[in-house]
Amino acid sequence: MATVLTDHRKEKIATIETLDARLRWLSSWIVHNANHLREKRDGLKVGGHQASCASMTAIMAAVYFHALRPQDKVSVKPHAGPVLQAIHYLLGHQSLEQLQQFRALGGAQSYPSRTKDKIPVDFSTGSVGLGVAITAFSSLVQDYLVAHGSLDEADAGRMISLMGDAELDEGNIYECLIEAYKHDIRNCWWVVDYNRQSLDSTTADRMFRRFDDIFETCGWRVVTLKNGKLQRAAFSRPGGKSLEDWIENCPNADFAVLTYKGGAAWRERLIADIGGKPHVAKLLDSFDDDGLAALMTNLGGHCIESLMDAFDSADDERPTLFIAYTVKGYGLPLAGHKDNHSGMMNPAQIEQLRVSMGVEVGQEWEPFAGLGGNIAARLKDFVGQSVLAHKPQETDAPVIAVPERLPVPSGDVQSTQAAFGNVLLDLAKSSETLADRIVTTAPDVTQTTNLGGFVNQRGLFRRSDVADIFRDAKIPSAQKWAAHAAGQHIELGIAENNFFLLLTSLGLAAPHFGTRLIPVGTVYDPFIARGLDALNYGCYSDARFLLVGTPSGLTLGPEGGAHQSINTPLIGMGQPGLAYYEPAYADEVALFMRWAFEHMQKPDGSSVYLRLSTRQVPQVQRAGTEWETDALKGGYWLKQPAPGAEAAIVFTGAIAPEVLAAFEQLADDIPGLGVLNVTSPDVLHRDWSASKAARWTDKPMQMCHAEDLLSVLAPDAGLVTVIDGSPGALSWLGGVTGMRVSPLGTDRFGQTGNLIDLYDTYRLDAAAIIDAMAELFLKR
């Protein structure tokens, strides 16, 4: 519904239209400078997306300088990154040097980044689709904080995604929609730059109305902005209805071709198609070619007045999808061309744009060039008084106290998964502040990953109470899961992308909302790979959470190959922003969990991944706590070798019983044999890599922990490495001091079976360890 146009609103519309043009110029020039003017040291194309920026400038101008409120947060389409940089340049938040170094080392990033950019970025984007769905889960986290009294309802903001239409092809969008509907999210806007052109093709015409159906079914309001005010005015004139019908039914590819060819082509096609209908010829004759081209491309996503009206109409809590029709490359010489996604203007074309914008030579970087003194001054003042100019900076939330020690679950035989669940249960029963800030989640595997005890104590989170019907019916169940606003577990369906995006949103609660949460998420270890892109996204965003992958490995036995994780240790070792530990014993679980809760809160901390198992393992008797320091560094001697010993068995995780059985059989034949428990192949390897890299820096050279551990052995000692996972996770230890290695592990899909048969088949049993040790000495 159109808003009454007061003088003030007319002036604001005109001002934002001017901003739209400035953003189109600056974003184009940023990319042009990087590709055509800046020295290229490697001769490679720098890249950028001028056309993708141009289709988005009006939308971003209207959002940031009209709709935005201080508490709102915005996720920006990856390829519109230069527009966001230009906005902050106009605000004085971004430097000229950063823009001139766009996509260069240390300069403005290709895509908005919370961790790499110098400007404020609410949500990192880059892998398309994830930056959209994250806003829905941030809306859920905001509701969680409001329900728990950690955020005032009045301070709840809208989580806004400015998205490209090609992102609607991403499956994680629809997984997210289902979960968002289940949790009744609110305060979420998705604004689609519906330019109908992607990298390879134009959008299929049959998709026009499907998005409306999908989103409306999931409880969203859908607002379509197809026509701008110029088109709507033309439609009201004689012959206008025929023109409106023609535009409504014009195939996407045809619209793009005609846009690129210009006014004369539009006229020829319209006359051919509808020129014989009443009043159409006269209507078309009232526009010259340039005017006709402007009319036909006056879509809703480029009309500031239409955008402002649409945003104003959605002033409530309901999630809303705005489908804003746009032209790819709007206002640029390459508008509509099918190759314009990764293409860019050549020097002649950018010169043409410069002249049309009234920007003088040498003034290309001036924020308000080409406007005239009075207009420039008014625009600068308008920008300076905007909400974005005075939006509070993110601040770090207070650190949550962590107990000096977490109780170690009792029991002579335990699994690491059960120990994890018992540690959480003890916390849930406690009055520790830490317990109140823990939020757990799982993709429909809460019970089978030992989160059930915590949930029984702390409840499921729902904004509205949901009774436990089975309990009310007095049907016995281990699950006592009433759902209420004070609950601390968010249950998800089987969609690992959603799982990791929720962990990311929870892990950003401190900078986003000023309240620190301790997210703990469990997932079957092999299915980490199903959400790996979203896990990577969370780590890149510097979100902090504890990821528990369990059960893991061949040790899962009867579940079979699809459920037996192989490469997850390598994921843990290779993923930046994630510290991976794999405990063998219950006391290690308690140690690593306590460390994780503290590490996640440190400025230089990270997320943490624990790889656990359901295998019941006999616990070891400790003489003290000295082992703990080494365990946190990545490894400790479970069986101390004699000085100069010729061999050691090195292992990780649940394979411990086989390792100790082999040790007992080999100890008499190999005097001084040691057993090294590598609790974190990741931490140990990073430490080794850092020590090697230090020689090329000014940092002092220090012995790494792996070298320190192995230094007790003879220089030519042999190592048998054993892990229920990829053998590469441990075999690298031979390179630390040049020792011989015989690696054991799994590098092929497993199958169903009991542990005795599987360990024998895949050579993870004591006999295989003994054979591997013999091989070392035979090859000596």
Side-chain angles (χ1 to χ4, degrees):
M1 186 174 70
T3 303
V4 175
L5 286 179
T6 63
D7 289 342
H8 174 73
R9 192 170 183 87
K10 289 178 182 178
E11 182 179 349
K12 188 174 187 180
I13 290 170
T15 301
I16 297 178
E17 286 175 343
T18 305
L19 268 175
D20 171 20
R22 292 306 305 147
L23 296 176
R24 195 178 317 129
W25 165 255
L26 283 170
S27 59
S28 296
W29 185 252
I30 289 167
V31 176
H32 178 78
N33 176 77
N35 286 274
H36 292 285
L37 303 180
R38 193 173 70 213
E39 178 187 2
K40 291 184 182 178
R41 299 179 63 190
D42 54 13
L44 297 177
K45 173 185 174 181
V46 176
H49 299 86
Q50 290 171 326
S52 294
C53 288
S55 64
M56 198 72 168
T57 53
I59 294 171
M60 292 181 68
V63 166
Y64 278 106
F65 295 100
H66 175 69
L68 193 72
R69 303 175 306 178
Q71 65 269 42
D72 296 342
K73 303 189 186 308
V74 184
S75 171
V76 175
K77 180 179 83 168
H79 296 150
V83 183
L84 183 63
Q85 301 288 345
I87 286 173
H88 284 283
Y89 184 57
L90 294 179
L91 289 163
H93 298 163
Q94 180 59 292
S95 69
L96 173 59
E97 180 183 16
Q98 280 282 297
L99 297 189
Q100 290 175 330
Q101 294 301 308
F102 172 66
R103 292 197 172 200
L105 182 63
Q109 296 298 294
S110 308
Y111 311 120
S113 171
R114 288 185 54 83
T115 55
K116 304 293 184 183
D117 268 315
K118 299 291 193 297
I119 61 172
V121 174
D122 294 328
F123 300 97
S124 296
T125 54
S127 184
V128 294
L130 298 180
V132 179
I134 191 71
T135 56
F137 290 105
S138 291
S139 173
L140 174 57
V141 171
Q142 182 175 244
D143 282 343
Y144 179 94
L145 293 171
V146 169
H148 282 251
S150 298
L151 184 70
D152 289 339
E153 182 73 57
D155 293 331
R158 292 177 298 224
M159 303 297 115
I160 302 171
S161 173
L162 309 178
M163 60 190 292
D165 55 353
E167 295 190 82
L168 289 168
D169 290 340
E170 288 288 345
N172 78 277
I173 295 288
Y174 304 99
E175 290 180 342
C176 165
L177 276 182
I178 298 300
E179 202 64 61
Y181 180 74
K182 282 162 46 179
H183 287 279
D184 190 25
I185 70 155
R186 53 188 183 141
N187 292 314
C188 191
W189 284 8
W190 289 359
V191 186
V192 183
D193 169 15
Y194 199 52
N195 60 52
R196 295 161 287 166
Q197 286 184 264
S198 61
L199 179 59
D200 288 337
S201 63
T202 54
T203 302
D205 297 303
R206 64 185 300 174
M207 294 307 297
F208 269 26
R209 295 177 183 84
R210 295 289 69 78
F211 298 126
D212 305 50
D213 297 342
I214 293 168
F215 278 81
E216 287 171 353
T217 298
C218 290
W220 288 57
R221 173 200 293 113
V222 178
V223 177
T224 300
L225 296 89
K226 185 161 188 177
N227 312 112
K229 63 178 181 180
L230 295 181
Q231 287 191 354
R232 295 196 301 272
F235 298 160
S236 67
R237 295 170 55 185
K241 186 62 172 64
S242 296
L243 180 62
E244 181 179 9
D245 291 343
W246 186 92
I247 291 174
E248 181 68 22
N249 294 291
C250 180
N252 289 340
D254 287 13
F255 194 93
V257 167
L258 292 168
T259 296
Y260 181 72
K261 295 180 73 173
W266 279 115
R267 190 179 305 279
E268 180 181 356
R269 175 65 178 271
L270 289 168
I271 290 174
D273 287 356
I274 58 173
K277 295 190 174 184
H279 309 295
V280 170
K282 184 177 180 181
L283 176 62
L284 297 178
D285 286 343
S286 67
F287 297 92
D288 61 17
D289 283 351
D290 289 343
L292 184 58
L295 172 68
M296 298 304 291
T297 56
N298 178 237
L299 302 179
H302 299 302
C303 179
I304 297 297
E305 181 179 334
S306 300
L307 288 163
M308 288 171 59
D309 288 347
F311 296 150
D312 290 345
S313 71
D315 188 21
D316 59 22
E317 296 180 345
R318 187 178 175 188
T320 302
L321 177 75
F322 299 93
I323 302 177
Y325 279 70
T326 61
V327 171
K328 190 76 166 276
Y330 180 78
L332 307 184
L334 37 70
H337 196 289
K338 76 182 187 74
D339 297 336
N340 66 14
H341 180 86
S342 55
M344 59 191 66
M345 289 178 280
N346 58 38
Q349 289 173 322
I350 198 75
E351 175 66 11
Q352 176 187 337
L353 182 65
R354 183 190 65 77
V355 172
S356 70
M357 292 275 188
V359 177
E360 296 182 7
V361 175
Q363 299 294 303
E364 291 88 353
W365 289 110
E366 287 298 315
F368 303 102
L371 299 178
N374 291 335
I375 297 175
R378 286 199 299 270
L379 187 59
K380 184 176 182 180
D381 182 64
F382 175 81
V383 168
Q385 293 183 25
S386 66
V387 167
L388 187 59
H390 300 94
K391 188 175 181 181
Q393 291 187 341
E394 291 181 352
T395 57
D396 202 17
V399 171
I400 302 165
V402 177
E404 285 298 317
R405 302 189 72 83
L406 296 180
V408 176
S410 61
D412 294 335
V413 179
Q414 298 186 62
S415 73
T416 52
Q417 177 179 301
F420 157 76
N422 286 326
V423 170
L424 270 187
L425 177 58
D426 284 342
L427 274 171
K429 293 177 178 178
S430 76
S431 59
E432 295 283 352
T433 302
L434 173 66
D436 295 335
R437 297 294 185 87
I438 290 174
V439 187
T440 60
T441 188
D444 201 36
V445 292
T446 300
Q447 278 294 323
T448 48
T449 56
N450 279 74
L451 276 182
F454 182 89
V455 180
N456 283 346
Q457 288 291 320
R458 295 285 176 148
L460 286 161
F461 169 70
R462 290 280 178 164
R463 284 198 292 124
S464 301
D465 289 359
V466 179
D468 185 340
I469 302 299
F470 279 80
R471 185 178 183 182
D472 292 347
K474 296 182 171 53
I475 298 175
S477 170
Q479 300 173 231
K480 301 174 178 63
W481 289 8
H484 46 79
Q488 291 179 235
H489 176 78
I490 301 175
E491 181 67 358
L492 300 173
I494 310 174
E496 282 74 14
N497 272 305
N498 286 343
F499 169 71
F500 284 116
L501 288 174
L502 176 57
L503 283 178
T504 298
S505 298
L506 291 164
L508 290 173
H512 274 171
F513 304 111
T515 296
R516 191 182 301 277
L517 298 173
I518 303 294
V520 178
T522 60
V523 63
Y524 288 174
D525 195 63
F527 301 138
I528 285 176
R530 291 175 59 171
L532 194 54
D533 191 22
L535 169 60
N536 183 67
Y537 173 81
C539 293
Y540 181 69
S541 298
D542 197 26
R544 305 296 180 82
F545 49 82
L546 175 59
L547 166 65
V548 178
T550 185
S552 63
L554 274 170
T555 306
L556 193 51
E559 289 282 352
H563 283 65
Q564 295 167 353
S565 55
I566 297 168
N567 67 338
T568 46
L570 300 181
I571 292 172
M573 293 177 68
Q575 177 61 57
L578 188 70
Y580 149 53
Y581 283 87
E582 185 164 350
Y585 301 107
D587 54 2
E588 293 175 7
V589 173
L591 176 70
F592 299 149
M593 287 179 68
R594 190 227 167 261
W595 177 87
F597 293 148
E598 195 170 70
H599 179 72
M600 288 157 57
Q601 302 184 68
K602 291 183 176 180
D604 60 347
S606 69
S607 291
V608 180
Y609 160 40
L610 299 183
R611 188 173 187 252
L612 306 183
S613 171
T614 51
R615 187 186 188 191
Q616 299 286 320
V617 173
Q619 301 299 290
V620 294
Q621 298 299 315
R622 307 286 190 186
T625 59
E626 293 78 9
W627 62 275
E628 293 180 348
T629 300
D630 280 355
L632 289 170
K633 290 181 180 179
Y636 67 95
W637 286 108
L638 185 61
K639 299 289 185 180
Q640 184 70 34
E646 295 181 313
I649 306 172
V650 183
F651 81 97
T652 290
I655 207 75
E658 281 63 38
V659 169
L660 292 178
F663 170 80
E664 294 297 332
Q665 297 180 57
L666 291 168
D668 290 340
D669 296 327
I670 307 175
L673 178 67
V675 176
L676 179 61
N677 181 358
V678 175
T679 54
S680 175
D682 172 39
V683 173
L684 208 61
H685 184 268
R686 289 178 194 269
D687 181 38
W688 177 56
S689 297
S691 71
K692 292 298 182 184
R695 71 182 62 187
W696 312 113
T697 69
D698 296 331
K699 296 179 181 178
M701 291 283 291
Q702 293 183 336
M703 181 181 291
C704 68
H705 187 52
E707 189 175 359
D708 185 36
L709 288 169
L710 297 175
S711 64
V712 69
L713 303 176
D716 61 345
L719 305 176
V720 174
T721 62
V722 195
I723 185 172
D724 188 355
S726 173
L730 292 179
S731 61
W732 61 271
L733 281 163
V736 174
T737 60
M739 294 177 176
R740 293 165 295 120
V741 174
S742 184
L744 299 177
T746 56
D747 56 7
R748 53 201 168 112
F749 293 115
Q751 55 188 301
T752 56
N754 61 58
L755 289 189
I756 295 173
D757 289 341
L758 290 176
Y759 281 4
D760 174 61
T761 301
Y762 292 90
R763 296 193 56 73
L764 287 176
D765 58 7
I769 295 171
I770 293 169
D771 288 345
M773 187 65 73
E775 180 186 30
L776 285 174
F777 283 90
L778 286 173
K779 290 185 176 181
R780 193 169 181 177

